[in-house]
PDB file of all heavy atoms in Angstrom:
ATOM      1  N   GLY A   1     103.510 161.393 104.956  1.00 92.00           N
ATOM      2  CA  GLY A   1     103.918 162.364 105.948  1.00 92.00           C
ATOM      3  C   GLY A   1     104.817 161.764 107.002  1.00 92.00           C
ATOM      4  O   GLY A   1     105.266 160.622 106.900  1.00 92.00           O
ATOM      5  N   GLY A   2     105.101 162.569 108.024  1.00 88.00           N
ATOM      6  CA  GLY A   2     105.947 162.110 109.116  1.00 88.00           C
ATOM      7  C   GLY A   2     107.384 162.560 108.951  1.00 88.00           C
ATOM      8  O   GLY A   2     107.732 163.274 108.003  1.00 88.00           O
ATOM      9  N   PRO A   3     108.266 162.150 109.851  1.00 88.00           N
ATOM     10  CA  PRO A   3     109.667 162.602 109.826  1.00 88.00           C
ATOM     11  C   PRO A   3     110.429 161.998 108.657  1.00 88.00           C
ATOM     12  O   PRO A   3     110.243 160.828 108.309  1.00 88.00           O
ATOM     13  CB  PRO A   3     110.221 162.088 111.159  1.00 88.00           C
ATOM     14  CG  PRO A   3     109.378 160.893 111.471  1.00 88.00           C
ATOM     15  CD  PRO A   3     107.997 161.220 110.970  1.00 88.00           C
ATOM     16  N   VAL A   4     111.288 162.796 108.036  1.00 90.00           N
ATOM     17  CA  VAL A   4     112.076 162.305 106.908  1.00 90.00           C
ATOM     18  C   VAL A   4     113.441 161.800 107.355  1.00 90.00           C
ATOM     19  O   VAL A   4     114.238 161.362 106.526  1.00 90.00           O
ATOM     20  CB  VAL A   4     112.263 163.411 105.844  1.00 90.00           C
ATOM     21  CG1 VAL A   4     110.924 163.874 105.313  1.00 90.00           C
ATOM     22  CG2 VAL A   4     113.059 164.581 106.402  1.00 90.00           C
ATOM     23  N   GLU A   5     113.707 161.856 108.660  1.00 84.00           N
ATOM     24  CA  GLU A   5     115.028 161.482 109.144  1.00 84.00           C
ATOM     25  C   GLU A   5     115.166 159.980 109.402  1.00 84.00           C
ATOM     26  O   GLU A   5     116.225 159.504 109.803  1.00 84.00           O
ATOM     27  CB  GLU A   5     115.357 162.239 110.442  1.00 84.00           C
ATOM     28  CG  GLU A   5     115.543 163.729 110.260  1.00 84.00           C
ATOM     29  CD  GLU A   5     114.229 164.506 110.279  1.00 84.00           C
ATOM     30  OE1 GLU A   5     113.154 163.861 110.443  1.00 84.00           O
ATOM     31  OE2 GLU A   5     114.259 165.739 110.128  1.00 84.00           O
ATOM     32  N   ASP A   6     114.093 159.205 109.201  1.00 84.00           N
ATOM     33  CA  ASP A   6     114.175 157.774 109.480  1.00 84.00           C
ATOM     34  C   ASP A   6     114.860 157.040 108.322  1.00 84.00           C
ATOM     35  O   ASP A   6     115.428 157.668 107.432  1.00 84.00           O
ATOM     36  CB  ASP A   6     112.786 157.196 109.773  1.00 84.00           C
ATOM     37  CG  ASP A   6     111.832 157.358 108.594  1.00 84.00           C
ATOM     38  OD1 ASP A   6     112.303 157.599 107.478  1.00 84.00           O
ATOM     39  OD2 ASP A   6     110.606 157.234 108.805  1.00 84.00           O
ATOM     40  N   SER A   7     114.785 155.718 108.320  1.00 85.00           N
ATOM     41  CA  SER A   7     115.513 154.926 107.327  1.00 85.00           C
ATOM     42  C   SER A   7     114.631 154.425 106.189  1.00 85.00           C
ATOM     43  O   SER A   7     115.095 153.643 105.347  1.00 85.00           O
ATOM     44  CB  SER A   7     116.175 153.725 108.017  1.00 85.00           C
ATOM     45  OG  SER A   7     115.194 152.898 108.621  1.00 85.00           O
ATOM     46  N   TRP A   8     113.379 154.864 106.117  1.00 91.00           N
ATOM     47  CA  TRP A   8     112.489 154.420 105.048  1.00 91.00           C
ATOM     48  C   TRP A   8     112.894 155.068 103.720  1.00 91.00           C
ATOM     49  O   TRP A   8     113.423 156.188 103.688  1.00 91.00           O
ATOM     50  CB  TRP A   8     111.056 154.809 105.365  1.00 91.00           C
ATOM     51  CG  TRP A   8     110.415 153.991 106.448  1.00 91.00           C
ATOM     52  CD1 TRP A   8     111.032 153.422 107.522  1.00 91.00           C
ATOM     53  CD2 TRP A   8     109.042 153.664 106.558  1.00 91.00           C
ATOM     54  NE1 TRP A   8     110.127 152.768 108.301  1.00 91.00           N
ATOM     55  CE2 TRP A   8     108.887 152.902 107.739  1.00 91.00           C
ATOM     56  CE3 TRP A   8     107.913 153.951 105.792  1.00 91.00           C
ATOM     57  CZ2 TRP A   8     107.669 152.405 108.153  1.00 91.00           C
ATOM     58  CZ3 TRP A   8     106.684 153.472 106.210  1.00 91.00           C
ATOM     59  CH2 TRP A   8     106.558 152.699 107.372  1.00 91.00           C
ATOM     60  N   ASN A   9     112.601 154.361 102.613  1.00 96.00           N
ATOM     61  CA  ASN A   9     112.711 155.005 101.314  1.00 96.00           C
ATOM     62  C   ASN A   9     111.806 156.231 101.307  1.00 96.00           C
ATOM     63  O   ASN A   9     110.766 156.246 101.980  1.00 96.00           O
ATOM     64  CB  ASN A   9     112.315 154.049 100.195  1.00 96.00           C
ATOM     65  CG  ASN A   9     113.332 152.950  99.970  1.00 96.00           C
ATOM     66  OD1 ASN A   9     114.481 153.047 100.433  1.00 96.00           O
ATOM     67  ND2 ASN A   9     112.930 151.899  99.274  1.00 96.00           N
ATOM     68  N   LEU A  10     112.200 157.255 100.544  1.00 97.00           N
ATOM     69  CA  LEU A  10     111.535 158.550 100.652  1.00 97.00           C
ATOM     70  C   LEU A  10     111.220 159.135  99.285  1.00 97.00           C
ATOM     71  O   LEU A  10     112.075 159.140  98.388  1.00 97.00           O
ATOM     72  CB  LEU A  10     112.436 159.527 101.419  1.00 97.00           C
ATOM     73  CG  LEU A  10     111.946 160.973 101.576  1.00 97.00           C
ATOM     74  CD1 LEU A  10     110.702 161.029 102.448  1.00 97.00           C
ATOM     75  CD2 LEU A  10     113.061 161.840 102.163  1.00 97.00           C
ATOM     76  N   LEU A  11     110.002 159.634  99.129  1.00 97.00           N
ATOM     77  CA  LEU A  11     109.605 160.412  97.956  1.00 97.00           C
ATOM     78  C   LEU A  11     109.126 161.773  98.428  1.00 97.00           C
ATOM     79  O   LEU A  11     108.222 161.859  99.267  1.00 97.00           O
ATOM     80  CB  LEU A  11     108.489 159.713  97.179  1.00 97.00           C
ATOM     81  CG  LEU A  11     107.873 160.520  96.017  1.00 97.00           C
ATOM     82  CD1 LEU A  11     108.899 160.756  94.921  1.00 97.00           C
ATOM     83  CD2 LEU A  11     106.634 159.829  95.461  1.00 97.00           C
ATOM     84  N   CYS A  12     109.722 162.848  97.897  1.00 97.00           N
ATOM     85  CA  CYS A  12     109.342 164.220  98.242  1.00 97.00           C
ATOM     86  C   CYS A  12     108.623 164.853  97.059  1.00 97.00           C
ATOM     87  O   CYS A  12     109.143 164.846  95.939  1.00 97.00           O
ATOM     88  CB  CYS A  12     110.574 165.068  98.568  1.00 97.00           C
ATOM     89  SG  CYS A  12     111.683 164.365  99.782  1.00 97.00           S
ATOM     90  N   ALA A  13     107.468 165.415  97.314  1.00 96.00           N
ATOM     91  CA  ALA A  13     106.707 166.100  96.270  1.00 96.00           C
ATOM     92  C   ALA A  13     106.194 167.407  96.837  1.00 96.00           C
ATOM     93  O   ALA A  13     105.186 167.439  97.540  1.00 96.00           O
ATOM     94  CB  ALA A  13     105.551 165.232  95.790  1.00 96.00           C
ATOM     95  N   GLY A  14     106.892 168.492  96.549  1.00 92.00           N
ATOM     96  CA  GLY A  14     106.474 169.801  97.033  1.00 92.00           C
ATOM     97  C   GLY A  14     107.017 170.876  96.127  1.00 92.00           C
ATOM     98  O   GLY A  14     107.366 170.619  94.973  1.00 92.00           O
ATOM     99  N   SER A  15     107.090 172.083  96.620  1.00 91.00           N
ATOM    100  CA  SER A  15     107.772 173.135  95.874  1.00 91.00           C
ATOM    101  C   SER A  15     109.259 172.826  95.830  1.00 91.00           C
ATOM    102  O   SER A  15     109.757 171.950  96.563  1.00 91.00           O
ATOM    103  CB  SER A  15     107.545 174.485  96.546  1.00 91.00           C
ATOM    104  OG  SER A  15     108.245 174.531  97.786  1.00 91.00           O
ATOM    105  N   PHE A  16     109.994 173.534  94.997  1.00 94.00           N
ATOM    106  CA  PHE A  16     111.439 173.312  94.897  1.00 94.00           C
ATOM    107  C   PHE A  16     112.092 173.459  96.268  1.00 94.00           C
ATOM    108  O   PHE A  16     112.868 172.592  96.701  1.00 94.00           O
ATOM    109  CB  PHE A  16     112.042 174.305  93.904  1.00 94.00           C
ATOM    110  CG  PHE A  16     113.519 174.100  93.654  1.00 94.00           C
ATOM    111  CD1 PHE A  16     113.950 173.204  92.703  1.00 94.00           C
ATOM    112  CD2 PHE A  16     114.463 174.809  94.390  1.00 94.00           C
ATOM    113  CE1 PHE A  16     115.317 173.005  92.465  1.00 94.00           C
ATOM    114  CE2 PHE A  16     115.817 174.628  94.171  1.00 94.00           C
ATOM    115  CZ  PHE A  16     116.239 173.720  93.202  1.00 94.00           C
ATOM    116  N   ASP A  17     111.773 174.525  96.966  1.00 94.00           N
ATOM    117  CA  ASP A  17     112.396 174.777  98.268  1.00 94.00           C
ATOM    118  C   ASP A  17     111.980 173.737  99.304  1.00 94.00           C
ATOM    119  O   ASP A  17     112.786 173.333 100.147  1.00 94.00           O
ATOM    120  CB  ASP A  17     112.048 176.186  98.761  1.00 94.00           C
ATOM    121  CG  ASP A  17     112.685 177.269  97.901  1.00 94.00           C
ATOM    122  OD1 ASP A  17     113.727 176.995  97.295  1.00 94.00           O
ATOM    123  OD2 ASP A  17     112.120 178.379  97.842  1.00 94.00           O
ATOM    124  N   GLU A  18     110.723 173.297  99.267  1.00 94.00           N
ATOM    125  CA  GLU A  18     110.271 172.267 100.203  1.00 94.00           C
ATOM    126  C   GLU A  18     111.004 170.955  99.977  1.00 94.00           C
ATOM    127  O   GLU A  18     111.424 170.279 100.930  1.00 94.00           O
ATOM    128  CB  GLU A  18     108.760 172.057 100.062  1.00 94.00           C
ATOM    129  CG  GLU A  18     107.926 173.197 100.642  1.00 94.00           C
ATOM    130  CD  GLU A  18     106.458 173.084 100.275  1.00 94.00           C
ATOM    131  OE1 GLU A  18     106.140 172.454  99.236  1.00 94.00           O
ATOM    132  OE2 GLU A  18     105.629 173.640 101.010  1.00 94.00           O
ATOM    133  N   ASP A  19     111.183 170.588  98.716  1.00 95.00           N
ATOM    134  CA  ASP A  19     111.900 169.346  98.412  1.00 95.00           C
ATOM    135  C   ASP A  19     113.360 169.424  98.834  1.00 95.00           C
ATOM    136  O   ASP A  19     113.918 168.465  99.389  1.00 95.00           O
ATOM    137  CB  ASP A  19     111.813 169.045  96.917  1.00 95.00           C
ATOM    138  CG  ASP A  19     110.496 168.393  96.524  1.00 95.00           C
ATOM    139  OD1 ASP A  19     109.633 168.224  97.405  1.00 95.00           O
ATOM    140  OD2 ASP A  19     110.334 168.052  95.339  1.00 95.00           O
ATOM    141  N   VAL A  20     113.995 170.548  98.561  1.00 95.00           N
ATOM    142  CA  VAL A  20     115.399 170.723  98.949  1.00 95.00           C
ATOM    143  C   VAL A  20     115.559 170.584 100.458  1.00 95.00           C
ATOM    144  O   VAL A  20     116.462 169.901 100.949  1.00 95.00           O
ATOM    145  CB  VAL A  20     115.934 172.084  98.461  1.00 95.00           C
ATOM    146  CG1 VAL A  20     117.270 172.422  99.125  1.00 95.00           C
ATOM    147  CG2 VAL A  20     116.096 172.064  96.940  1.00 95.00           C
ATOM    148  N   ALA A  21     114.668 171.222 101.201  1.00 94.00           N
ATOM    149  CA  ALA A  21     114.744 171.157 102.663  1.00 94.00           C
ATOM    150  C   ALA A  21     114.564 169.724 103.158  1.00 94.00           C
ATOM    151  O   ALA A  21     115.267 169.273 104.081  1.00 94.00           O
ATOM    152  CB  ALA A  21     113.688 172.071 103.282  1.00 94.00           C
ATOM    153  N   ALA A  22     113.634 168.979 102.551  1.00 94.00           N
ATOM    154  CA  ALA A  22     113.392 167.601 102.974  1.00 94.00           C
ATOM    155  C   ALA A  22     114.596 166.714 102.678  1.00 94.00           C
ATOM    156  O   ALA A  22     114.997 165.889 103.506  1.00 94.00           O
ATOM    157  CB  ALA A  22     112.152 167.054 102.281  1.00 94.00           C
ATOM    158  N   VAL A  23     115.191 166.888 101.510  1.00 94.00           N
ATOM    159  CA  VAL A  23     116.360 166.088 101.144  1.00 94.00           C
ATOM    160  C   VAL A  23     117.542 166.406 102.051  1.00 94.00           C
ATOM    161  O   VAL A  23     118.298 165.513 102.459  1.00 94.00           O
ATOM    162  CB  VAL A  23     116.729 166.306  99.663  1.00 94.00           C
ATOM    163  CG1 VAL A  23     118.076 165.657  99.330  1.00 94.00           C
ATOM    164  CG2 VAL A  23     115.639 165.750  98.749  1.00 94.00           C
ATOM    165  N   GLU A  24     117.716 167.655 102.401  1.00 93.00           N
ATOM    166  CA  GLU A  24     118.817 168.041 103.277  1.00 93.00           C
ATOM    167  C   GLU A  24     118.662 167.407 104.662  1.00 93.00           C
ATOM    168  O   GLU A  24     119.654 167.041 105.303  1.00 93.00           O
ATOM    169  CB  GLU A  24     118.886 169.569 103.406  1.00 93.00           C
ATOM    170  CG  GLU A  24     119.370 170.291 102.158  1.00 93.00           C
ATOM    171  CD  GLU A  24     120.880 170.205 101.973  1.00 93.00           C
ATOM    172  OE1 GLU A  24     121.440 169.093 102.103  1.00 93.00           O
ATOM    173  OE2 GLU A  24     121.499 171.238 101.710  1.00 93.00           O
ATOM    174  N   ARG A  25     117.426 167.269 105.138  1.00 92.00           N
ATOM    175  CA  ARG A  25     117.203 166.672 106.449  1.00 92.00           C
ATOM    176  C   ARG A  25     117.340 165.155 106.427  1.00 92.00           C
ATOM    177  O   ARG A  25     117.662 164.536 107.438  1.00 92.00           O
ATOM    178  CB  ARG A  25     115.794 167.035 106.978  1.00 92.00           C
ATOM    179  CG  ARG A  25     115.595 168.500 107.282  1.00 92.00           C
ATOM    180  CD  ARG A  25     114.373 168.704 108.184  1.00 92.00           C
ATOM    181  NE  ARG A  25     113.180 168.013 107.708  1.00 92.00           N
ATOM    182  CZ  ARG A  25     112.315 168.520 106.842  1.00 92.00           C
ATOM    183  NH1 ARG A  25     112.531 169.731 106.327  1.00 92.00           N
ATOM    184  NH2 ARG A  25     111.246 167.837 106.471  1.00 92.00           N
ATOM    185  N   ALA A  26     117.070 164.573 105.291  1.00 92.00           N
ATOM    186  CA  ALA A  26     117.064 163.114 105.192  1.00 92.00           C
ATOM    187  C   ALA A  26     118.480 162.570 105.086  1.00 92.00           C
ATOM    188  O   ALA A  26     119.374 163.192 104.499  1.00 92.00           O
ATOM    189  CB  ALA A  26     116.254 162.683 103.972  1.00 92.00           C
ATOM    190  N   GLY A  27     118.701 161.396 105.642  1.00 79.00           N
ATOM    191  CA  GLY A  27     119.987 160.726 105.490  1.00 79.00           C
ATOM    192  C   GLY A  27     120.098 160.096 104.116  1.00 79.00           C
ATOM    193  O   GLY A  27     119.130 160.025 103.360  1.00 79.00           O
ATOM    194  N   ARG A  28     121.292 159.626 103.780  1.00 77.00           N
ATOM    195  CA  ARG A  28     121.514 159.034 102.460  1.00 77.00           C
ATOM    196  C   ARG A  28     121.627 157.504 102.544  1.00 77.00           C
ATOM    197  O   ARG A  28     122.167 156.871 101.649  1.00 77.00           O
ATOM    198  CB  ARG A  28     122.795 159.602 101.836  1.00 77.00           C
ATOM    199  CG  ARG A  28     122.733 161.081 101.508  1.00 77.00           C
ATOM    200  CD  ARG A  28     121.718 161.371 100.411  1.00 77.00           C
ATOM    201  NE  ARG A  28     121.902 162.684  99.852  1.00 77.00           N
ATOM    202  CZ  ARG A  28     121.382 163.780 100.343  1.00 77.00           C
ATOM    203  NH1 ARG A  28     120.633 163.706 101.430  1.00 77.00           N
ATOM    204  NH2 ARG A  28     121.592 164.947  99.775  1.00 77.00           N
ATOM    205  N   SER A  29     121.091 156.910 103.609  1.00 74.00           N
ATOM    206  CA  SER A  29     121.234 155.468 103.789  1.00 74.00           C
ATOM    207  C   SER A  29     120.090 154.690 103.143  1.00 74.00           C
ATOM    208  O   SER A  29     120.003 153.492 103.284  1.00 74.00           O
ATOM    209  CB  SER A  29     121.299 155.137 105.287  1.00 74.00           C
ATOM    210  OG  SER A  29     120.125 155.571 105.949  1.00 74.00           O
ATOM    211  N   ARG A  30     119.183 155.390 102.463  1.00 88.00           N
ATOM    212  CA  ARG A  30     118.058 154.725 101.787  1.00 88.00           C
ATOM    213  C   ARG A  30     117.835 155.408 100.441  1.00 88.00           C
ATOM    214  O   ARG A  30     118.528 156.347 100.062  1.00 88.00           O
ATOM    215  CB  ARG A  30     116.810 154.759 102.654  1.00 88.00           C
ATOM    216  CG  ARG A  30     116.139 156.058 103.098  1.00 88.00           C
ATOM    217  CD  ARG A  30     116.848 157.218 103.396  1.00 88.00           C
ATOM    218  NE  ARG A  30     116.454 158.330 104.146  1.00 88.00           N
ATOM    219  CZ  ARG A  30     115.316 158.717 104.667  1.00 88.00           C
ATOM    220  NH1 ARG A  30     114.252 158.013 104.589  1.00 88.00           N
ATOM    221  NH2 ARG A  30     115.224 159.834 105.317  1.00 88.00           N
ATOM    222  N   VAL A  31     116.862 154.948  99.693  1.00 96.00           N
ATOM    223  CA  VAL A  31     116.557 155.520  98.384  1.00 96.00           C
ATOM    224  C   VAL A  31     115.731 156.786  98.574  1.00 96.00           C
ATOM    225  O   VAL A  31     114.721 156.783  99.271  1.00 96.00           O
ATOM    226  CB  VAL A  31     115.796 154.509  97.515  1.00 96.00           C
ATOM    227  CG1 VAL A  31     115.449 155.133  96.161  1.00 96.00           C
ATOM    228  CG2 VAL A  31     116.612 153.241  97.323  1.00 96.00           C
ATOM    229  N   ILE A  32     116.162 157.879  97.932  1.00 97.00           N
ATOM    230  CA  ILE A  32     115.464 159.157  98.021  1.00 97.00           C
ATOM    231  C   ILE A  32     115.148 159.642  96.608  1.00 97.00           C
ATOM    232  O   ILE A  32     116.023 159.652  95.732  1.00 97.00           O
ATOM    233  CB  ILE A  32     116.305 160.223  98.742  1.00 97.00           C
ATOM    234  CG1 ILE A  32     116.612 159.788 100.175  1.00 97.00           C
ATOM    235  CG2 ILE A  32     115.597 161.575  98.729  1.00 97.00           C
ATOM    236  CD1 ILE A  32     117.542 160.727 100.903  1.00 97.00           C
ATOM    237  N   CYS A  33     113.916 160.058  96.407  1.00 98.00           N
ATOM    238  CA  CYS A  33     113.505 160.647  95.133  1.00 98.00           C
ATOM    239  C   CYS A  33     112.766 161.948  95.431  1.00 98.00           C
ATOM    240  O   CYS A  33     111.941 162.003  96.340  1.00 98.00           O
ATOM    241  CB  CYS A  33     112.597 159.689  94.364  1.00 98.00           C
ATOM    242  SG  CYS A  33     112.024 160.320  92.761  1.00 98.00           S
ATOM    243  N   ALA A  34     113.080 162.995  94.670  1.00 97.00           N
ATOM    244  CA  ALA A  34     112.437 164.294  94.857  1.00 97.00           C
ATOM    245  C   ALA A  34     112.071 164.887  93.506  1.00 97.00           C
ATOM    246  O   ALA A  34     112.855 164.816  92.554  1.00 97.00           O
ATOM    247  CB  ALA A  34     113.370 165.259  95.606  1.00 97.00           C
ATOM    248  N   VAL A  35     110.883 165.461  93.434  1.00 96.00           N
ATOM    249  CA  VAL A  35     110.468 166.111  92.195  1.00 96.00           C
ATOM    250  C   VAL A  35     111.454 167.218  91.828  1.00 96.00           C
ATOM    251  O   VAL A  35     111.824 167.383  90.665  1.00 96.00           O
ATOM    252  CB  VAL A  35     109.042 166.670  92.333  1.00 96.00           C
ATOM    253  CG1 VAL A  35     108.680 167.533  91.124  1.00 96.00           C
ATOM    254  CG2 VAL A  35     108.023 165.536  92.486  1.00 96.00           C
ATOM    255  N   ALA A  36     111.929 167.973  92.824  1.00 95.00           N
ATOM    256  CA  ALA A  36     112.856 169.077  92.569  1.00 95.00           C
ATOM    257  C   ALA A  36     114.167 168.624  91.965  1.00 95.00           C
ATOM    258  O   ALA A  36     114.847 169.387  91.272  1.00 95.00           O
ATOM    259  CB  ALA A  36     113.132 169.840  93.863  1.00 95.00           C
ATOM    260  N   ALA A  37     114.552 167.366  92.211  1.00 96.00           N
ATOM    261  CA  ALA A  37     115.828 166.865  91.695  1.00 96.00           C
ATOM    262  C   ALA A  37     115.782 166.624  90.194  1.00 96.00           C
ATOM    263  O   ALA A  37     116.789 166.217  89.599  1.00 96.00           O
ATOM    264  CB  ALA A  37     116.214 165.576  92.422  1.00 96.00           C
TER     265      ALA A  37
END
């Protein structure tokens, strides 16, 4: 949990819309993985 806008690597696991929203908020300066992707 917590904010997705930081610089940590990120894994999103939610509904399609929840994952999309999290990825849109997150920066691209780290590794991002989402189930929806």
